[in-house]
Amino acid sequence: MKLMHTKLPDFKKKVQEAGKKLRPETEVELKGLENMESAKLASLRVGRIEEEIIEITQDPNVAKVEVTVLPQIPETIHCVVIKGVQKDGTSKKTILESMFITTPAPECYYHDSEVVEDRRVSYD
Amino acid sequence: MATLKYKLIPKGAAEGRVPINLIFIDKKDVIAAGLTYREACETIAKNFKEPGAIDIIDMDSITVSSDGIVVDYAVVAFASIDYGMINKDFGYLGVSEQPYSEKLLEEEPHMKQWDAIDDYKGKRLFRGPNFDDRWPRVPHNETQTITGRIANNNTGSEMMNVIDMTEILVPAYGALEIMRDGEVLIGVAGPEISVGIGMVVFETYGRIFNRSYGAGKTAHNSGEYAKTVKSDYPAIAGRKSTLAEYTLRALEIGLVPGKDIGCSPAVLAIAKAFGSPIAYDSIEERAWVELSSVGITKEWLQAPSEKLTREQIIERADEIVPGIADGKLFKVSDICKVCEAEIAK
């Protein structure tokens, strides 16, 4: 099945707009994508997240929305590109390596919430 | 109110040497409480709001140390807890039993201990989780549970806090002593244990690896750097005399380091003292580089030395078995609290 994908800058914009839709003064913080310069995001999930941000802001006491993007598997394998760059900007050699990283799991970000609704893709 | 008994080695125990809350539950207490292993971990999580690692241990079963020595206890489930929770998908792992089979004994020479040593015969074997246990982890994932700040790795033997980035090792004999209320040697793992952890054996669903490497090989495969991998981390080890006793059992039935069992510095040092054969030619060059970096050379092992009896080796284990820097013996009862968690109806 081929589905549409959203540009990363568009996603960042949509997150901000969704957070401020009901009350423009709402602070919106997007974390976890800082080191990505370009990416395509599954559009159906982008739409769900926009709706969920609006749902969170329906509580009139919400002054800030924190949107944190984490790997769903907290231990991830990464490709490390080790590249030598010459003074003139060209490169003669790159080494590719693997790095396994265990990062804080989502409980660290939501442990103080009274209600948690899990709408993630299920492994069951 | 029904309760579940557990042992807690709290963060800061052993004069500050323990950086993470470590919880050990006897399988018998889980069964007596009428809980599943997962429910037992959830019960502790709900009662104990702090970050911690949980091992559920069956004292009537057997497991295998990383260097291939059978030990009569087994981790049958393990978990990470934090903020009163267990991560739904990655916070808990059960370990399935590995049934006895002639094929397993043929493929894995170190498992001759299961048949040949009366204390192990007929006991159930648990090592690491199988593929079904591990789901939804994928092959590259470690045998690890993660909730919040805590990761409990290598089937409940290596616990980490990924926020303050502390870590502690609980090798097999340490867990055994904790459950037996014996004595534990707590110190810094040091270069010999760091090298030794890599001297693994070939096992299906091992506590760390699945069908990777074999006796005489190094899983670290990192030359002189191998001695640094875990050398600065604290470890709760068993008494060296305990390690020596279990290793001697394997040597006494004719298992050969480097061929049948792993060639860790501890195993090789005991084999030398006991005058046991060592499969020098089966130990690959990369392993010798790592062993030599901590002073275990072919020349040292082959140099004439006094042959000691089983009793002499156990008595002099502290001088024979290398590993653990700045270690101090603690009675488990002095560092461990016995607690009870209320079981929710």
Side-chain angles (χ1 to χ4, degrees):
Chain A
M1 188 168 62
K2 292 179 179 172
L3 298 168
M4 297 298 290
H5 290 75
T6 301
K7 295 174 182 175
L8 178 63
D10 291 347
F11 173 68
K12 291 179 177 176
K13 196 173 160 198
K14 285 170 183 284
V15 166
Q16 288 292 331
E17 286 173 354
K20 294 177 182 298
K21 184 172 182 182
L22 298 184
R23 287 182 304 285
E25 69 274 19
T26 305
E27 187 185 343
V28 185
E29 186 180 19
L30 175 62
K31 293 189 289 187
L33 299 174
E34 292 84 349
N35 64 343
M36 287 188 191
E37 293 171 2
S38 62
K40 295 282 276 181
L41 294 88
S43 295
L44 284 178
R45 288 277 153 189
V46 172
R48 286 169 65 104
I49 288 165
E50 284 180 276
E51 294 294 321
E52 285 156 353
I53 291 170
I54 293 167
E55 182 181 330
I56 289 285
T57 58
Q58 278 172 347
D59 177 346
N61 292 316
V62 168
K64 179 183 180 186
V65 188
E66 295 175 359
V67 181
T68 308
V69 183
L70 304 170
Q72 192 158 322
I73 301 179
E75 188 216 350
T76 47
I77 181 169
H78 296 250
C79 172
V80 183
V81 182
I82 307 162
K83 177 180 174 182
V85 181
Q86 314 287 311
K87 284 181 181 167
D88 65 359
T90 59
S91 175
K92 284 186 178 168
K93 185 173 179 179
T94 287
I95 298 171
L96 300 181
E97 250 299 353
S98 296
M99 174 57 77
F100 306 89
I101 307 179
T102 301
T103 47
E107 293 78 17
C108 291
Y109 299 89
Y110 69 74
H111 62 89
D112 53 349
S113 281
E114 289 176 17
V115 176
V116 178
E117 290 183 17
D118 191 350
R119 302 178 189 174
R120 294 175 297 174
V121 171
S122 173
Y123 294 108
D124 296 334
Chain B
M1 176 68 81
T3 60
L4 172 65
K5 192 169 86 173
Y6 64 95
K7 287 182 171 178
L8 166 68
I9 299 182
K11 177 180 177 177
E15 298 164 359
R17 290 172 169 85
V18 177
I20 293 166
N21 293 304
L22 304 174
I23 290 165
F24 300 86
I25 316 174
D26 192 318
K27 171 196 161 179
K28 287 193 179 85
D29 291 322
V30 178
I31 304 291
L35 300 171
T36 64
Y37 295 156
R38 180 161 193 134
E39 287 168 345
C41 294
E42 286 167 349
T43 296
I44 306 287
K46 281 174 191 154
N47 280 261
F48 187 83
K49 306 288 186 191
E50 298 298 312
I54 299 178
D55 286 359
I56 299 181
I57 291 180
D58 181 352
M59 293 302 288
D60 295 325
S61 294
I62 55 170
T63 195
V64 182
S65 71
S66 55
D67 47 14
I69 307 299
V70 170
V71 186
D72 45 4
Y73 87 102
V75 173
V76 292
F78 55 107
S80 303
I81 59 173
D82 202 1
Y83 304 110
M85 294 183 271
I86 293 183
N87 185 284
K88 181 168 73 86
D89 299 310
F90 301 101
Y92 168 87
L93 257 172
V95 181
S96 289
E97 179 182 2
Q98 296 193 30
Y100 178 93
S101 75
E102 287 179 6
K103 181 171 176 282
L104 185 134
L105 265 64
E106 269 171 32
E107 282 189 350
E108 304 181 13
H110 64 288
M111 288 312 297
K112 290 188 180 73
Q113 294 167 84
W114 200 356
D115 257 353
I117 297 172
D118 287 343
D119 284 351
Y120 310 151
K121 210 177 276 183
K123 287 194 170 176
R124 301 171 72 185
L125 171 67
F126 295 85
R127 295 191 298 208
N130 64 30
F131 288 142
D132 289 337
D133 296 331
R134 284 166 51 88
W135 175 255
R137 292 162 190 81
V138 291
H140 78 253
N141 285 131
E142 300 200 63
T143 50
Q144 180 169 253
T145 60
I146 310 166
T147 300
R149 291 165 279 188
I150 296 296
N152 190 1
N153 193 32
N154 289 346
T155 314
S157 63
E158 187 180 77
M159 297 78 167
M160 295 168 259
N161 180 320
V162 289
I163 295 286
D164 69 17
M165 293 177 279
T166 52
E167 182 166 344
I168 187 164
L169 306 174
V170 183
Y173 308 105
L176 179 74
E177 296 280 5
I178 289 163
M179 295 308 290
R180 283 181 174 173
D181 282 325
E183 286 183 326
V184 285
L185 179 63
I186 306 183
V188 177
E192 294 89 357
I193 286 183
S194 197
V195 165
I197 290 170
M199 305 303 184
V200 297
V201 289
F202 177 89
E203 289 186 313
T204 298
Y205 305 131
R207 294 165 72 219
I208 304 170
F209 296 107
N210 176 47
R211 300 177 77 84
S212 304
Y213 314 102
K217 294 185 168 56
T218 160
H220 284 148
N221 193 18
S222 51
E224 296 230 339
Y225 291 106
K227 67 181 177 189
T228 68
V229 176
K230 297 285 177 190
S231 64
D232 296 333
Y233 287 122
I236 302 182
R239 287 170 302 165
K240 292 191 176 184
S241 55
T242 305
L243 181 150
E245 186 182 344
Y246 279 87
T247 306
L248 284 164
R249 291 181 189 179
L251 296 174
E252 283 169 335
I253 63 166
L255 297 185
V256 180
K259 182 166 79 69
D260 305 317
I261 55 177
C263 53
S264 65
V267 167
L268 291 176
I270 293 166
K272 176 181 167 66
F274 202 43
S276 301
I278 293 169
Y280 294 102
D281 294 339
S282 300
I283 299 174
E284 63 177 11
E285 192 48 42
R286 289 167 184 275
W288 281 121
V289 171
E290 295 182 15
L291 290 165
S292 300
S293 74
V294 293
I296 310 285
T297 62
K298 215 179 284 187
E299 293 70 31
W300 177 74
L301 289 165
Q302 290 175 332
S305 60
E306 183 189 3
K307 300 281 181 290
L308 302 177
T309 64
R310 150 182 267 276
E311 291 70 27
Q312 287 171 321
I313 290 172
I314 291 170
E315 194 182 314
R316 291 166 55 182
D318 286 342
E319 66 181 90
I320 294 167
V321 179
I324 300 285
D326 303 323
K328 182 173 175 180
L329 270 179
F330 292 87
K331 282 184 182 170
V332 169
S333 56
D334 288 343
I335 60 164
C336 186
K337 296 178 186 173
V338 178
C339 308
E340 295 201 0
E342 287 188 1
I343 300 170
K345 285 179 184 172

